[in-house]
Amino acid sequence: MKIRTLAFAAAMFAAVSLSAGPRSEILKVYNWSDYIEESVLPEFEAWYEQQTGEKIKVIYQTFDINETMLSKIEKGQEDYDVVCPSDYILERMLNNGLLIPLDFASIPDSINYIANNKSPYMQRIFREINPAIDANDYSVPYMWGTSGILYNTKYVTDEEASTWDVIRNPKFAGKILIKDAPRDVYCPVLIYLKQEELKSGKVTLAELMHDSSDESLAAVEAYLKQVKDGVLGWEADFGKEQMTKERGVVSLNWSGDAVWAIEEAAAVGVELKYVVPKEGSNVWFDSWVIPKYAKNAKAATWFIDFMCRPDIAIRNMEETGYVSANGAIEVLESQIDEEKPAVDLSYFFGEQASAVHVDETLYPGREIIERCALEHDWGEDTAKLLAMWSRVKGANASISTWVIFGIAIVGLILGFFFSKKKKNHHRGGRRK
Ligand code: SPD
């Protein structure tokens, strides 16, 4: 597995833009960094031409955080044809009418990989995102996983890593990496802080995922301020390498980054492990959608279908460490390793998968999934979370935080400018 470099993306974007043809022959894809096997892109171009008789050139760009992508669509109205938001951003895009429905009927039945490889589990959780709009009509899941703790077994015991409190354990001060993803940090910390309420049944995990109260934000902020002194870095993508090089020993991370790091570290004799702490966590997914400003929905739909082709899904998994949300049994079979303990995956693949020998970091078993919940859109309250995040990180803020912060400031300035312009216009109108 190798990491996509920014330079590659920039060079590819520049080269393709220069030679770009008519818009109907261009497909603009905006995806997370390190989230695809690059060679599938030219293969898609050839496949599309073979299937439709039409030419297509993929312009591929990447982002590190959901909020950058969202801002480009929501505020910038950029004409990306396919983007890949996480669950709570998909929910926001649905709620705000930013997506167009997928025209599944435009793909012939014989090659409709979207329809043929749906996982019943994914379909169910997509239906639950917004009871009024079925997210299955607008999006197709790409990868999924959990948030948890990646740790170096030379320094950290299984017991120490089994609780979220490990991120504030003074023993690991200066060697702790935290994902620079406010929602993915807030949720586990809140779950940790609300253990008593969860155990007594006063609150459920699912309810906590909607909890944007001032009280909970303040509690998480106070906790994270204690964590901060021991933090080596707030990272969007570099954490996995820091762990393989043993600069960090504890990392609050996503399961896919963990798989990548565990494999890379093993190659240099370092043992890393991943655990979803006992208190619970969030399960997440990223999915393909077509934003309403897209200019080539047809090629976008074919692209999404191509991504659901089992052999393509497997290659993307192998490259990135993440797990395809594809329900095809070939995808599961490609990951079977008889040396691993049996895991109950019937919730995802059906009864035939009640004891499959796979890596549980890749595919969480039923008992792990039962202590995880999905994050949700907070609407206007998202601003409170971002403000809290900036206060916690303060001078240590990373590039992505400054990007989010910059986006908010530009939004405020534009809002101020336009409201002034509107007032002047009204004044002018009255003077006439
Ligand atoms: N490097 C690609 C990372 C994509 C992971 N998405 C996880 C989102 C969790 N909210």
Side-chain angles (χ1 to χ4, degrees):
M1 293 181 202
K2 62 183 171 10
I3 298 182
R4 169 187 303 282
T5 60
L6 276 177
F8 171 83
M12 189 170 165
F13 180 62
V16 174
S17 303
L18 286 175
S19 60
R23 188 63 177 85
S24 60
E25 292 180 8
I26 292 170
L27 177 72
K28 290 175 79 172
V29 180
Y30 196 30
N31 190 16
W32 293 82
S33 54
D34 296 347
Y35 220 29
I36 206 161
E37 214 279 68
E38 288 155 21
S39 64
V40 306
L41 299 175
E43 278 181 46
F44 167 71
E45 294 171 352
W47 183 78
Y48 182 79
E49 188 168 355
Q50 186 194 47
Q51 297 296 332
T52 65
E54 293 166 28
K55 290 199 178 309
I56 199 75
K57 190 81 211 158
V58 176
I59 295 188
Y60 188 79
Q61 280 186 285
T62 60
F63 59 88
D64 281 334
I65 45 170
N66 272 304
E67 287 71 13
T68 306
M69 180 278 293
L70 179 68
S71 164
K72 287 211 178 181
I73 309 281
E74 210 171 39
K75 297 204 175 67
Q77 306 191 353
E78 290 209 27
D79 64 343
Y80 292 112
D81 299 307
V82 192
V83 301
C84 191
S86 294
D87 31 59
Y88 66 100
I89 298 286
L90 165 63
E91 183 176 351
R92 182 182 172 113
M93 294 178 103
L94 275 176
N95 295 347
N96 294 353
L98 286 170
L99 303 179
I100 57 172
L102 299 171
D103 180 14
F104 299 113
S106 63
I107 307 281
D109 287 347
S110 55
I111 51 164
N112 195 329
Y113 301 110
I114 301 173
N116 297 336
N117 298 317
K118 280 181 179 168
S119 141
Y121 171 75
M122 281 292 161
Q123 281 188 285
R124 180 177 62 71
I125 57 177
F126 268 51
R127 274 194 295 272
E128 287 168 7
I129 293 174
N130 178 341
I133 315 169
D134 187 349
N136 291 292
D137 295 338
Y138 291 82
S139 54
V140 175
Y142 177 47
M143 302 280 189
W144 71 293
T146 53
S147 299
I149 294 292
L150 173 68
Y151 59 105
N152 185 320
T153 58
K154 192 158 67 171
Y155 306 98
V156 186
T157 65
D158 291 351
E159 176 67 22
E160 285 164 335
S162 70
T163 165
W164 287 112
D165 207 28
V166 70
I167 61 171
R168 112 180 134 167
N169 188 332
K171 206 172 140 190
F172 311 119
K175 302 241 174 217
I176 297 168
L177 291 149
I178 305 283
K179 246 324 150 211
D180 195 2
R183 292 298 302 270
D184 297 331
V185 176
Y186 175 88
C187 290
V189 171
L190 187 64
I191 291 171
Y192 171 76
L193 295 174
K194 296 274 181 180
Q195 273 307 287
E196 290 314 310
E197 288 90 327
L198 279 168
K199 279 186 194 144
S200 67
K202 230 169 119 184
V203 69
T204 65
L205 259 186
E207 283 164 355
L208 277 191
M209 298 292 116
H210 291 278
D211 182 355
S212 58
S213 64
D214 290 343
E215 180 215 345
S216 292
L217 276 157
V220 172
E221 179 169 352
Y223 187 88
L224 288 175
K225 283 180 173 161
Q226 294 168 19
V227 170
K228 182 183 165 179
D229 287 342
V231 171
L232 167 66
W234 308 83
E235 57 88 23
D237 251 331
F238 65 80
K240 49 192 184 213
E241 278 185 305
Q242 297 283 309
M243 291 296 288
T244 57
K245 292 181 176 149
E246 296 197 292
R247 294 196 183 120
V249 299
V250 170
S251 165
L252 189 165
N253 217 320
W254 298 315
S255 46
D257 275 16
V259 169
W260 188 96
I262 290 168
E263 287 177 11
E264 293 290 311
V268 292
V270 172
E271 189 186 50
L272 302 180
K273 277 190 183 174
Y274 175 81
V275 65
V276 174
K278 59 187 175 204
E279 294 93 358
S281 185
N282 63 301
V283 52
W284 54 262
F285 57 81
D286 299 324
S287 65
W288 299 116
V289 295
I290 305 181
K292 76 169 181 186
Y293 307 110
K295 294 274 191 313
N296 197 346
K298 176 183 172 186
T301 311
W302 282 84
F303 177 82
I304 296 172
D305 197 57
F306 185 70
M307 288 294 122
C308 293
R309 211 171 88 180
D311 60 319
I312 300 297
I314 292 167
R315 279 164 60 193
N316 286 331
M317 283 176 76
E318 298 291 346
E319 173 69 14
T320 63
Y322 282 87
V323 175
S324 169
N326 196 301
I329 208 70
E330 302 97 288
V331 173
L332 177 62
E333 279 168 0
S334 74
Q335 303 304 314
I336 290 177
D337 175 351
E338 293 300 337
E339 285 177 14
K340 305 273 181 205
V343 179
D344 178 1
L345 298 179
S346 54
Y347 70 92
F348 195 92
F349 289 101
E351 277 316 308
Q352 56 184 332
S354 58
V356 200
H357 297 268
V358 284
D359 178 354
E360 216 177 6
T361 301
L362 274 171
Y363 283 109
R366 184 180 289 278
E367 78 291 354
I368 295 178
I369 278 300
E370 281 169 359
R371 59 175 194 272
C372 293
L374 267 189
E375 292 171 9
H376 285 280
D377 176 35
W378 284 5
E380 303 279 291
D381 279 359
T382 304
K384 294 199 294 186
L385 175 73
L386 298 181
M388 179 277 270
W389 194 244
S390 308
R391 284 195 299 277
V392 167
K393 291 170 59 185
N396 290 344
S398 69
I399 291 173
S400 22
T401 303
W402 289 115
V403 169
I404 300 178
F405 191 66
I407 289 165
I409 295 289
V410 170
L412 277 175
I413 295 172
L414 285 180
F416 177 75
F417 176 74
F418 282 119
S419 70
K420 263 219 135 24
K421 224 179 145 187
K422 220 170 162 186
K423 270 188 203 150
N424 288 342
H425 177 75
H426 284 307
R427 277 192 207 119
R430 276 198 296 272
R431 268 200 301 271
K432 271 180 199 158

